[in-house]
Amino acid sequence: MATITFYPSKPTGESTIYIRLSLKRGKDFRLSTGFSIKNAGDWNPITKLPKKNNEYNKLLHSKLYELESFITSEIDKLLFDNTKSIDDVSSKWVKNIISQFNNEAIEDDDFLIVYANKFLRNLQTKTYFKNGQNFIYKENTIEKYKYFVEDLVAFEIKLGKKIKVIDVDDSLGNAFIVFLKSEKKQSQNTVGRTIKRLKTLVSDAEMNGKRVNVRYRLMKGFEDETIVTYLSLDEIKKVIKTPMPNPRLELAKEWMIIGCFTAQRISDLFRLDSSMIVYEKNTPYIYLKQYKTDKKVKVPVHYKVEEILKKYDLNFPPRFSNNERSNAAMLSDLIKEVCIVSEINETVRGRLNGIIGHYPKYQLISNHTLRRSFASNFYGMEGWNTPMVMEITGHSTEKNFYKYVDKDNFTLSEKAALNFAKMKHEEM
């Protein structure tokens, strides 16, 4: 009788998972499964499987269990085949079975997961055209597609069958939506983007000659109601005037002010340095090419930002870490604390962890709030027009820009009312 066990190749850290298949004396095989565990400390030595202590390990646990069943099934086929026997099992045979399971054979790229993995690998060198320009895919985009493929694998495990590219239609798309919401607990916006990626994937397969179900075109990406949380100019002034209890929060406060008055994404905020500052007619500007879009912007330096730069000898404040993601995560946490200290605690409507409700405002503040604050505060302000604001934020279309503007802020309507009053006065 076959005995199958799994084990990590190393006792700690990220480790390849190996399989040991024992059939009888002389038939004992040890090979890589093609899977890896992010932390070998999460391995359960009793069950010989990963602990189910996070989503990744739950998925890995299920996948290894499924691999064991797949190999057992293939061995059973040998037992009932009059032309073959256990003696035909070799290291190469086991390796081929594992490859079949992992859908790595060339003929298996009709399977959705296989095609998705190929698509993901191709993104490393693939380019796309937008507004007449050729762009490479950013690391963040590739990372999002990695999570997308993980979602597909988890969905396939839930279904208990392998999905082919041709199986994808609006019905399967709807089932995927239900899975993402109920099992993965994803927000409406995240689910909508995931479905959009699924449609992109199948469209790419169709362009590459794969047979598809035309009903996949009925799938549509979607997004939830846009709720813009931003800091008003009065709230920003309140933050500026409030002393912070320690240097770390003071540093976060400075980056917060810079973010509110430069309107740059977090991916660009921590890339700012003195070499980007240029004086023209004694006026300082920040010149930069935005990381996400490669768009060049020229940002006039707000006098409050200039005060911070002078504090650091015309340079930007120090970062929290040398790691970009760590910087972003730390700032996101710290600016909430800055708002607590500054008593930005009014109860407002917003979305927290995907749930719309009413919360103390400081809970809703994130890195992206800073960019939104610029857009909402200067949109409709006297002396400002939409193209001026967009030139600083770097938005290419008004459609995308308006997602950053508070829809409940009726500045333009109030301005129109003043114009009506002025017209009335002139006619009298």
Side-chain angles (χ1 to χ4, degrees), residues 90-312:
S90 63
S91 181
K92 183 177 180 180
W93 183 91
V94 179
K95 187 175 181 179
N96 286 338
I97 295 300
I98 293 173
S99 293
Q100 286 178 38
F101 176 79
N102 289 333
N103 291 330
E104 291 177 353
I106 295 175
E107 66 270 17
D108 279 346
D109 68 354
D110 285 336
F111 285 99
L112 185 64
I113 302 299
V114 180
Y115 196 87
N117 279 317
K118 286 186 175 181
F119 179 86
L120 179 58
R121 288 193 295 270
N122 288 338
L123 286 184
Q124 306 282 346
T125 55
K126 196 174 182 181
T127 60
Y128 66 96
F129 283 94
K130 184 177 180 181
N131 299 327
Q133 294 186 17
N134 202 15
F135 296 94
I136 62 170
Y137 285 92
K138 302 290 185 181
E139 184 180 339
N140 287 347
T141 301
I142 295 172
E143 192 72 19
K144 288 171 184 175
Y145 268 98
K146 286 181 182 178
Y147 293 132
F148 163 67
V149 174
E150 288 180 9
D151 286 339
L152 284 180
V153 171
F155 179 54
E156 192 176 77
I157 291 172
K158 179 70 176 178
L159 291 179
K161 65 177 183 179
K162 298 187 184 303
I163 306 168
K164 289 189 173 182
V165 173
I166 199 170
D167 295 333
V168 180
D169 59 7
D170 54 322
S171 178
L172 186 133
N174 289 335
F176 193 30
I177 290 171
V178 172
F179 169 79
L180 294 171
K181 288 183 177 180
S182 61
E183 301 285 332
K184 303 290 286 186
K185 307 298 181 185
Q186 291 184 0
S187 69
Q188 180 85 343
N189 287 344
T190 301
V191 173
R193 287 191 291 268
T194 302
I195 294 301
K196 187 176 180 180
R197 290 186 184 112
L198 177 59
K199 187 174 182 179
T200 298
L201 178 68
V202 180
S203 175
D204 185 84
E206 183 178 23
M207 286 184 5
N208 284 296
K210 292 294 176 187
R211 291 177 61 229
V212 301
N213 186 325
V214 294
R215 290 186 65 88
Y216 88 86
R217 296 177 192 142
L218 297 176
M219 297 189 303
K220 302 289 183 183
F222 51 84
E223 58 185 38
D224 202 355
E225 173 191 0
T226 299
I227 302 177
V228 177
T229 300
Y230 75 102
L231 293 164
S232 68
L233 288 174
D234 286 339
E235 288 171 326
I236 296 172
K237 288 177 184 176
K238 194 175 181 181
V239 169
I240 291 172
K241 291 179 180 179
T242 303
M244 291 295 116
N246 59 63
R248 193 170 176 80
L249 284 183
E250 182 64 28
L251 183 59
K253 170 181 164 179
E254 291 170 346
W255 278 112
M256 189 174 178
I257 294 166
I258 294 170
C260 286
F261 288 123
T262 60
Q264 300 310 303
R265 301 177 184 87
I266 192 66
S267 56
D268 292 313
L269 189 63
F270 284 118
R271 290 174 52 241
L272 298 177
D273 64 52
S274 58
S275 66
M276 299 177 180
I277 302 173
V278 177
Y279 281 81
E280 297 179 2
K281 297 179 181 179
N282 294 321
T283 299
Y285 295 90
I286 299 170
Y287 278 87
L288 78 150
K289 180 189 281 189
Q290 294 180 327
Y291 174 77
K292 181 179 180 180
T293 62
D294 283 336
K295 180 160 185 174
K296 294 179 181 178
V297 293
K298 176 182 177 182
V299 183
V301 177
H302 189 275
Y303 64 94
K304 284 297 179 184
V305 174
E306 192 171 15
E307 288 176 10
I308 295 171
L309 296 178
K310 287 179 180 178
K311 177 182 173 180
Y312 293 98

Side-chain angles (χ1 to χ4, degrees), residues 332-343:
S332 184
D333 290 337
L334 289 170
I335 59 178
K336 290 179 176 63
E337 292 186 46
V338 170
C339 287
I340 291 173
V341 175
S342 303
E343 298 183 352

